[in-house]
């Protein structure tokens, strides 16, 4: 059974942007991730190792947000790649990043 796990509206202060002021002063960014995975085993077992650990997913997003980038597209790509690398059962990742 496929389902989605969402972490919505996670707020970070980060230093992304093309302009020197953006990289010096930073800005508030809001991230939402949607993770699509098969939850069949977790439904039966009630075991965390059978699903996506959203605390680990949060930590991955936080780590990527701490790395300054000029483009938000670059940040989104890094977040998606890091999540896919860490959770091999992920079938689809969506990242929304708002400023």
């Amino acid at each position: 059974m496929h389902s989605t796990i969402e972490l919505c509206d996670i707020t970070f202060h980060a230093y992304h942007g093309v302009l020197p002021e953006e990289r010096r002063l930073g800005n508030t960014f809001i991230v939402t991730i949607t993770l699509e995975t098969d939850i069949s085993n977790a439904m039966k077992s009630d075991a965390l190792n059978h699903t996506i650990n959203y605390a680990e997913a949060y930590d991955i997003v936080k780590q990527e947000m701490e790395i300054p980038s000029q483009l938000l597209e670059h940040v989104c790509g890094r977040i998606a790649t890091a999540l896919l690398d860490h959770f091999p059962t992920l079938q689809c990742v969506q990242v929304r990043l708002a400023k």
Side-chain angles (χ1 to χ4, degrees):
M1 171 181 278
H2 295 282
S3 189
T4 58
I5 298 168
E6 291 186 339
L7 292 163
C8 299
D9 300 332
I10 311 165
T11 303
F12 298 97
H13 187 84
Y15 299 89
H16 308 303
V18 175
L19 300 176
E21 300 83 37
E22 294 175 301
R23 294 177 69 95
R24 188 178 79 249
L25 300 174
N27 209 329
T28 300
F29 295 88
I30 301 169
V31 179
T32 295
I33 58 171
T34 303
L35 311 172
E36 184 177 318
T37 190
D38 182 347
I39 62 167
S40 300
N41 289 335
M43 288 172 48
K44 295 173 190 170
S45 70
D46 194 30
L48 182 58
N49 64 330
H50 288 155
T51 190
I52 303 300
N53 182 331
Y54 58 83
E56 290 178 11
Y58 171 87
D59 288 341
I60 290 168
V61 173
K62 182 178 184 290
Q63 288 171 4
E64 294 301 327
M65 287 299 293
E66 290 174 350
I67 302 168
S69 292
Q70 291 187 50
L71 301 178
L72 298 183
E73 294 87 344
H74 187 253
V75 180
C76 289
R78 283 198 335 260
I79 291 170
T81 299
L83 289 166
L84 287 165
D85 288 347
H86 188 78
F87 298 110
T89 60
L90 275 181
Q91 297 162 341
C92 181
V93 175
Q94 293 180 351
V95 180
R96 187 181 79 210
L97 177 57
K99 189 173 178 181

